[in-house]
Amino acid sequence: MVDPLPQFPDGFLFGCSTASYQIEGAVHEDGRGPSIWDTFSHTGGKTLNGDTGDVACDHYHRYPEDIALLGDLGVGAYRFSIAWPRVQPTGSGRPDKAGLDFYDRLVDALLERGIVPLPTLFHWDLPQALEDKGGWLARDTASYFADYTSHVVTRLGDRVRRWITLNEPVVHMAQGYAYGTHAPGRTLLLDALPVAHHQLLAHGLATRALRAAGATEVMITNNCTPVWPAGEDAGDVTAAAVYDAFHNRLFNDPVLLGSYPDFLAGALGDVVRDGDLETISTPLDALGINYYNPTQVGAPSGDSPLPFELREIEGYPTTSFGWPVVPAGLTDLLTGLREIYGDALPPVYITENGCSTEAGIQDQFRIDYLDAHLRAVHDAITAGVDVRGYFVWSLLDNFEWAEGYSQRFGLVHVDFQDLSRTPRASYHWLRAALTGS
Ligand code: FCB
């Protein structure tokens, strides 16, 4: 038995998050073009067991059932992502009507249940045709993204007022372009840096397009992590500061302050053109934060090509993924953002937080995890941080990128043989907390 959750401010939005490639399936339907994740997951050895998102949770067909689950859960909002290759199969040109129709139906079904739709325009499934032209290493991808955004908001903007431009540009840059563990599988290490700038430029251009179409709340979702130096000596402390710059400040500073951390501005050189930072810092209505765990960083060993080294955090419980569970890290992160950015910090939403557990239905581990992290958010609010909402990752077990179907993050269990959904104990716990029943 856990204590009741603390009282959150009036209007605080509880929700669940998902992403298109992780749940939709139906990859060949209604004109959808291939994305970099189709290519990557169908390339031998890239995902665990060769898993792909071809079917995933078949949400494309089963969305009414999933929205019913959200409705019964009692959440006020649903964060999902729109698959660019459904809207523009080759990433540019005329939009595909049938692809947009799907999101139209989804939005209407959410509104019928009184659930606020919060779409993310890019959660990593770039049209393969754009990757063939350079992907996010190419500056033009930012303009293509702005065009795509305009098509989506033209279709949905009469009912959707809140938008997220990008999901976790840092993870897409690092895993996708620096280390190659995610699509598109490039291994450029520090040469991946232009990917950060072009994504941020895309964010800025899209923000302007959304505003022009009457959006009332526009945000970007950044993955943020408190960075812990592995030791007290200068090498570790410097490496931690450098990592903090790459992971956190590279994406928060330009958006909130209109500048890059000095040494990264130097490294970006003429990738940044006149006027770009003004575009990127177009004022935001809110900042989305995804939090999973802190990161421990030490000085690199002599022959490392990177200026930092990630070290394992010991002494905490871990999720099935092996990620340490540190709820206080979320409070520290939020109060830290407030200290760094002061009044430049807009209201914050936790747009993802959650854990992977064993497959079973009795997931007390997830209940404890969510309970502790919600309390950590409440502590940050008490300390003066304007946090407006919290979204659980995730509603359903789904395709967890390179880990395939092995990591289960769902409040709802999915049987990947027959695709049946079964709410877990954590679902019932959250429903009781939200609805009292
Ligand atoms: C985040 C991603 C999300 C999911 C969770 C576990 O980095 O945004 O799609 O994979 O991690």
Side-chain angles (χ1 to χ4, degrees), residues 19 22 123-124 167-168 171 223 290 292 321 323 352 393 400-401 409:
Q22 295 182 275
H123 199 128
W124 306 348
N167 178 68
E168 297 188 352
V171 176
N223 178 300
N290 292 355
Y292 288 94
F321 226 134
W323 297 352
E352 281 181 32
W393 183 271
E400 177 46 40
W401 310 115
F409 278 88

Side-chain angles (χ1 to χ4, degrees), residues 118-119 121 145 149 153 160-166 202-221 255-256 279-280 282-288 346-349 351:
L118 180 57
L121 286 155
F145 183 72
T149 298
V153 71
V160 176
R161 297 288 151 72
R162 307 172 181 213
W163 297 86
I164 296 175
T165 55
L166 308 179
H203 156 76
L205 293 170
T207 300
R208 290 180 174 184
L210 291 165
R211 281 273 161 59
T216 55
E217 200 170 61
V218 181
M219 59 178 124
I220 187 171
T221 278
V255 164
L256 300 179
T279 304
I280 292 170
T282 302
L284 285 178
D285 305 293
L287 178 67
V348 172
Y349 288 84
T351 40

Side-chain angles (χ1 to χ4, degrees), residues 239-327:
V242 168
Y243 187 81
D244 181 48
F246 271 106
H247 193 108
N248 298 315
R249 302 203 64 146
L250 175 58
F251 296 90
N252 289 331
D253 283 17
V255 164
L256 300 179
L257 305 176
S259 59
Y260 282 112
D262 280 348
F263 81 96
L264 291 173
L268 278 163
D270 56 16
V271 169
V272 183
R273 299 198 190 154
D274 282 354
D276 284 0
L277 282 159
E278 284 73 30
T279 304
I280 292 170
S281 58
T282 302
L284 285 178
D285 305 293
L287 178 67
I289 297 289
N290 292 355
Y291 171 76
Y292 288 94
N293 49 256
T295 306
Q296 181 154 256
V297 176
S301 55
D303 55 355
S304 170
L306 296 174
F308 49 78
E309 186 176 279
L310 305 188
R311 306 265 175 87
E312 201 167 314
I313 291 179
E314 286 170 359
Y316 291 86
T318 53
T319 70
S320 288
F321 226 134
W323 297 352
V325 179
V326 188

Side-chain angles (χ1 to χ4, degrees), residues 231-240 299:
E232 283 169 14
D233 64 81
D236 287 343
V237 172
T238 303

